Amino acid sequence: MSNKSRDKHEKMIEQVAATMAIEDMPLSQACYENLRAMASGEKTREQITKEITEKYKKRR
């Protein structure tokens, strides 16, 4: 991934983080990692949703 693309993705992630912070809902480190994975094309939203769902199903 080029630096320009990476910078663009980071700016988008920062905007999401700022919006969530305004709502008093700061992002966790895991959330940042998931956003970066989606932005880079490493994972889809569906893959991440499935991973999160499985994680919390195991806690029951």
Side-chain angles (χ1 to χ4, degrees):
M1 179 186 322
S2 71
N3 284 340
K4 188 175 182 178
S5 292
R6 189 174 300 114
D7 291 344
K8 183 178 178 182
H9 293 158
E10 284 300 316
K11 183 173 175 114
M12 290 170 36
I13 291 167
E14 287 172 13
Q15 289 174 340
V16 169
T19 300
M20 297 301 287
I22 289 169
E23 296 296 326
D24 198 26
M25 298 172 63
L27 300 180
S28 66
Q29 187 62 37
C31 189
Y32 278 104
E33 291 169 10
N34 285 333
L35 288 170
R36 286 186 183 102
M38 282 191 291
S40 69
E42 181 182 333
K43 293 183 181 181
T44 65
R45 181 196 53 80
E46 291 82 7
Q47 288 172 310
I48 292 171
T49 300
K50 183 178 178 183
E51 290 172 6
I52 293 168
T53 301
E54 291 300 317
K55 177 182 174 181
Y56 287 98
K57 276 185 180 178
K58 291 178 184 178
R59 289 187 177 184
R60 291 183 182 179

